[in-house]
């Protein structure tokens, strides 16, 4: 995997984005920001799930007012998502927010943007310039030139990328003119291929850190695949400093998916057990799906990143067991348990879950006491 492209670094509260910092994972609350207690509870839940920072919408003054209570109560930095009203940005900055997101499609007036820049500069707050496909397409319908409309009809994706890059360049000029460089860029689309091409083009032009995302990706079943196809490709190519996976569901699942994506690519160390399981086939002799579901649920009680394998038969079982810390392979109504490649015990099918978990707990305790090492060792994070 190529090294991550080195970008400038910005500080969002105590989280660094870009430069040599690990890829930061973020998401957005789904509830109303002005419902303060609920908002704080949701932020806490997202932080516990692994979010490094959380964004909240601030459409009204009552939302920016709420930030004064939310920010001190949050365990992670808070980003204010501002659309349409630049005053919301100024109010959020005054309330102590750690980062602002501005949409160039919605806040275009230069003097207003300059007021936000000045306020952020004074307090050392970064700004994400988040251009979206939606804003560009909407502009096409309103005031785009006839020649651009015709160009878009013949090459929608190519024209859209050019228009988004133009909009970005035009907006970033205001930041340059004001000598403001604490900038993060995003350029989201509903089309994963466009997202890949767009961010690749941006990373060739700018050294600002990039916030990756596919917007309006859909329900979890498809949205997760679309996001991971685009973000996984970019990250594997060394592009991206912070990510948000987004789809229509409880954002805690977005965080779980984002965490798994970063761990899978070696961009984040695991803090919890990793479960390996076979997909099952015609050789299976036990109810493996149920066993895997039960093991997965129970492993959440263990806070050591042990590697656990649950295999359905002897064909690939012993091989996988060799590479895992704790493993079981089942067959003929029984299971054989291995710990770090050594056969420990054979148990009847009905005892497989309890016996495997007991071995997992015991091994995790030995790791904590320094009496055993994880099979894979600590993951080396892929850094720029
Ligand atoms: S481990 Fe056995 S049961 Fe599982 S997929 Fe492989 S061959 Fe099939």
């Amino acid at each position: 995997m190529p090294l991550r492209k080195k970008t400038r670094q910005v500080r969002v509260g105590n989280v660094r984005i870009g430069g040599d910092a690990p890829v930061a994972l973020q998401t957005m609350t789904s509830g109303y920001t002005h419902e303060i207690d609920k908002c704080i509870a949701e932020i806490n839940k997202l932080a516990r799930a692994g979010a490094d920072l959380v964004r909240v919408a601030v459409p009204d003054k009552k939302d920016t007012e709420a930030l004064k209570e939310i920010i001190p109560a949050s365990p992670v930095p808070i980003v204010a998502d501002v659309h349409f009203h630049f005053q919301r940005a100024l109010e959020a900055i005054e309330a102590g927010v750690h980062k602002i997101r501005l949409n160039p499609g919605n806040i275009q007036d230069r003097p207003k943007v300059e007021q936000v820049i000045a306020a952020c500069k004074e307090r050392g707050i970064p700004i994400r310039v988040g251009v979206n496909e939606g804003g560009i397409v909407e502009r096409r319908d309103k005031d785009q030139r006839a020649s651009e409309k015709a160009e878009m009809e013949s090459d929608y994706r190519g024209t859209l990328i050019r228009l988004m890059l133009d909009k970005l360049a035009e907006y970033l000029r205001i930041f340059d003119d004001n000598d403001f460089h604490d900038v993060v860029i995003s350029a989201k689309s509903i089309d994963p291929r466009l997202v890949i091409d767009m961010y690749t083009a941006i990373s060739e032009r700018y050294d600002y850190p990039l916030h990756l995302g596919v917007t309006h990706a859909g329900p979890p079943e498809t949205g997760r695949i679309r996001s991971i196809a685009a973000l996984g490709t970019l990250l594997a190519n060394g592009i991206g400093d912070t990510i948000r996976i987004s789809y229509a569901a409880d954002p805690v699942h977005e965080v779980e998916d984002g965490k798994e994506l970063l761990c899978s690519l070696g961009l984040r160390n695991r803090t919890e057990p990793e479960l390996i399981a076979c997909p099952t086939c015609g050789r299976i002799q036990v109810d493996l799906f149920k066993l895997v579901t039960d093991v997965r649920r129970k492993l959440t009680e263990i806070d050591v990143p042990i590697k656990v394998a649950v295999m359905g038969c002897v064909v690939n079982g012993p091989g996988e067991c060799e590479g895992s810390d704790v493993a079981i392979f089942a067959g003929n109504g029984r299971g054989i348990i291995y710990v770090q490649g050594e056969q420990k015990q054979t148990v009847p099918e009905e005892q497989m879950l309890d016996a495997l978990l007991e071995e997992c707990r015991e091994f995790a305790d030995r790791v904590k006491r320094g009496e055993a090492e994880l099979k894979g060792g600590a993951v080396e994070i892929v850094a720029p």
Side-chain angles (χ1 to χ4, degrees), residues 36-58:
I36 297 174
D37 291 343
K38 281 191 196 164
C39 185
I40 292 172
E42 189 174 16
I43 291 168
N44 273 298
K45 189 171 81 161
L46 296 169
R48 274 196 305 277
D52 297 311
L53 51 155
V54 173
R55 182 159 44 114
V56 298
V58 288

Side-chain angles (χ1 to χ4, degrees), residues 75-267:
V76 291
I78 297 296
V79 184
D81 195 57
V82 183
H83 285 267
F84 305 112
H85 303 293
F86 84 108
Q87 292 95 334
R88 297 291 95 78
L90 299 178
E91 291 157 11
I93 295 161
E94 187 61 37
V97 82
H98 301 102
K99 183 177 163 208
I100 292 285
R101 182 270 167 118
L102 293 182
N103 184 338
N106 296 337
I107 300 180
Q108 308 199 15
D109 188 44
R110 185 176 179 117
K112 290 176 180 169
V113 177
E114 287 184 331
Q115 275 192 60
V116 177
I117 291 173
C120 283
K121 203 173 189 179
E122 197 184 312
R123 293 185 178 233
I125 297 171
I127 299 175
R128 168 158 70 96
V129 175
V131 57
N132 267 6
E133 175 185 351
I136 301 293
V137 173
E138 197 180 283
R139 185 180 149 257
R140 174 194 64 171
D141 295 338
K142 281 185 189 153
D143 58 6
Q144 207 168 35
R145 294 193 307 270
S147 61
E148 282 181 341
K149 282 187 186 174
E151 193 187 342
M152 216 157 183
E153 269 155 32
S154 69
D155 176 14
Y156 181 80
R157 291 175 60 233
T159 311
L160 194 58
I161 288 175
R162 185 180 63 71
L163 292 175
M164 284 171 83
L165 285 172
D166 287 352
K167 171 55 79 180
L168 197 57
E170 180 190 322
Y171 214 64
L172 288 176
R173 215 167 294 128
I174 307 176
F175 290 73
D176 267 349
D177 292 348
N178 285 272
D179 197 25
F180 185 89
H181 303 287
D182 279 348
V183 169
V184 177
I185 297 176
S186 69
K188 300 186 183 181
S189 159
I190 55 172
D191 177 350
R193 293 169 303 163
L194 197 134
V195 168
I196 294 167
D197 291 347
M198 186 71 206
Y199 278 97
T200 303
I202 292 172
S203 79
E204 284 162 4
R205 284 172 175 72
Y206 302 101
D207 65 355
Y208 289 124
L210 300 185
H211 163 126
L212 308 184
V214 172
T215 191
H216 307 135
E221 296 77 12
T222 49
R224 146 184 310 134
I225 306 291
R226 295 159 69 85
S227 287
I228 288 175
L231 274 49
T233 303
L234 287 164
L235 290 168
N237 286 332
I239 296 169
D241 301 282
T242 177
I243 63 165
R244 180 200 175 188
I245 288 182
S246 61
Y247 46 72
D250 183 337
V252 83
H253 301 305
E254 301 177 356
V255 177
E256 289 164 355
D257 288 351
K259 209 161 82 170
E260 183 55 40
L261 175 63
L262 294 177
C263 289
S264 298
L265 291 172
L267 295 166

Side-chain angles (χ1 to χ4, degrees), residues 278-284 288 311-317:
C278 84
T280 79
C281 72
R283 296 181 189 89
I284 197 80
L288 199 85
M311 306 301 288
C313 77
V314 292
V315 171
N316 290 315

